[in-house]
Amino acid sequence: MLIVMNANAGQGQIDTVVRAVESLGFRAHVMPGATRTAIGVTGNQGAVDLSHFENLPGVAEAIRVTKPYKLITLDLRPERTIVDLGEGAKIGDGSLAIIAGPCAIESRKQAFAVADVVQRSGAKFFRGGAFKPRTSPYAFAGLGEEALKILADIRDEFGLKIVSEALDESNVDLVEKYADMIQIGARNMQNFTLLRRVGRSRLPVLLKRGMAATLEEWLLAAEYVMAEGNYNIVLCERGVRTFAQHTRNTLDLAAVPAVRRISHLPVIVDAAHGTGRSYMVTPLARAGVAVGADGLMIEVHARPDEALSDGAQALTLDEYEQMVREVSAIHKVIAHNGF
Ligand code: PEP
Ligand code: MN
């Protein structure tokens, strides 16, 4: 259920509605907006009697939500969510947010070389895996806390915001300690206990689309996080598995406008995992910006052929700098024309 307050409803009236929701054993999610406040109600299994709320002072209307998701929708929050990591690092505010860095943190030297270029390119976010989900149990699985410490030093040295993946619930505390944003990987998109755990985090969440997930399943995964009270979520399209053999995954760029039609959450495009081939990364990054993404995720390595993971899709430092120039030019056209 969704309760829409009158434009001039006061805080006291909002508090009264919240108490009424909680007295029924449900949870109230207060979403202030430019023109009105909406309150999403979760925790009810069946339909709630709308008359409990319709007659409370300040309530404009109580609406039964028939869609499977409630909190991620534009019905609840017509304004777009801006995920703000501080110091001008925002996603969803109309700027182009670039999250770049190596697939995995391999060493201090490797990570710093990439961070230097990422920072000079104007990007505000640095990525790097400390805990890596690998198909083979014998492949490099990340340096764990040592990698997180390197990432924290990169934040201090370069002023970049740190994005890193939590692979399971037991990693979340550590990622929270060192990073600025928690990545949930494609393989974990429906790890519901992990989603609930990051839903209780103070850090924003970057939620990748599962490689076989429908749009609805992906949005419901975001709903899991929001239902726990964490409203700072960025969706990341990273390609889905198809029969194509010319790419690692098929980057579903149509997901960007599809998400934007339903949800207020920002959505970015991962052109690295979305293609798996470095020569395709820049063209698909350009396309991602053109289709209206709020940002990009890009993997970068000084020596891709020596990378311990995902080298085939990593841009070199020079290729990365060139890509930033190209996507920035496209973003200017898009932003200027208000697409
Ligand atoms: C990654 O970002 O390095 C990663 C493992 O991504 P995904 O979960 O999309 O495969
Ligand atoms: Mn990777």
Side-chain angles (χ1 to χ4, degrees), residues 6-338:
N6 286 323
N8 56 4
Q11 190 57 46
Q13 293 176 329
I14 293 169
D15 291 344
T16 303
V17 174
V18 169
R19 275 196 299 274
V21 170
E22 289 173 350
S23 72
L24 293 169
F26 307 143
R27 182 160 182 171
H29 302 263
V30 179
M31 302 280 163
T35 54
R36 47 58 156 184
T37 291
I39 301 169
V41 178
T42 59
N44 53 305
Q45 297 295 337
V48 184
D49 186 355
L50 300 182
S51 63
H52 282 303
F53 306 101
E54 277 166 342
N55 300 322
L56 291 175
V59 172
E61 55 178 338
I63 306 164
R64 208 177 296 293
V65 180
T66 50
K67 295 176 189 133
Y69 18 67
K70 308 177 183 195
L71 304 175
I72 59 103
T73 63
L74 289 164
D75 300 332
L76 183 71
R77 178 184 244 173
E79 297 90 23
R80 303 224 159 257
T81 289
I82 298 173
V83 175
D84 187 351
L85 279 76
E87 298 171 290
K90 294 182 189 174
I91 307 176
D93 67 337
S95 64
L96 181 66
I98 298 182
I99 304 174
C103 178
I105 301 300
E106 300 167 4
S107 70
R108 181 170 292 268
K109 192 164 166 244
Q110 168 249 12
F112 270 64
V114 178
D116 183 45
V117 172
V118 169
Q119 191 245 352
R120 281 193 285 108
S121 77
K124 299 199 164 69
F125 306 88
F126 187 76
R127 61 149 289 147
F131 302 101
K132 296 302 305 174
R134 301 307 301 276
T135 303
S136 163
Y138 309 120
F140 174 65
L143 298 179
E145 187 168 8
E146 188 189 336
L148 290 169
K149 286 183 179 161
I150 294 170
L151 286 165
D153 290 345
I154 284 174
R155 176 184 36 230
D156 293 345
E157 175 97 11
F158 298 100
L160 294 162
K161 300 292 176 189
I162 302 300
V163 182
S164 200
E165 177 168 356
L167 208 50
D168 56 40
E169 276 180 272
S170 69
N171 302 151
V172 177
D173 288 347
L174 271 181
V175 175
E176 277 176 331
K177 184 170 165 196
Y178 295 102
D180 300 297
M181 185 173 208
I182 307 172
Q183 177 171 321
I184 299 297
R187 291 155 190 80
N188 267 321
M189 191 207 81
Q190 286 189 315
N191 181 339
F192 300 118
T193 51
L194 181 60
L195 295 175
R196 286 212 156 100
R197 169 62 185 87
V198 297
R200 295 190 296 274
S201 178
R202 65 184 165 82
L203 294 187
V205 173
L206 181 78
L207 180 63
K208 291 204 157 190
R209 180 181 181 183
M211 58 185 85
T214 63
L215 180 68
E216 185 169 307
E217 288 163 344
W218 186 21
L219 293 173
L220 283 170
E223 186 80 23
Y224 261 91
V225 178
M226 279 193 95
E228 293 295 324
N230 189 345
Y231 308 133
N232 288 309
I233 304 166
V234 176
L235 298 164
C236 178
E237 163 59 39
R238 49 79 73 206
V240 290
R241 172 94 29 116
T242 67
F243 51 77
Q245 292 178 328
H246 59 290
T247 49
R248 179 182 182 190
N249 293 291
T250 297
L251 188 60
D252 177 14
L253 290 174
V256 174
V259 165
R260 295 179 78 97
R261 172 170 278 226
I262 298 171
S263 179
H264 50 79
L265 295 173
V267 55
I268 69 166
V269 164
D270 176 346
H273 299 85
T275 59
R277 310 266 191 273
S278 63
Y279 80 93
M280 293 182 179
V281 170
T282 296
L284 272 292
R286 291 195 297 250
V289 175
V291 86
D294 295 290
L296 296 171
M297 174 167 274
I298 303 289
E299 289 187 342
V300 189
H301 202 287
R303 293 176 177 276
D305 45 338
E306 291 174 14
L308 297 181
S309 63
D310 285 354
Q313 65 195 34
L315 296 185
T316 63
L317 303 179
D318 287 349
E319 286 167 347
Y320 169 74
E321 287 181 310
Q322 177 62 21
M323 184 226 56
V324 172
R325 284 193 283 277
E326 294 179 18
V327 296
S328 302
I330 294 171
H331 183 255
K332 266 200 199 85
V333 175
I334 300 277
H336 184 73
N337 290 288

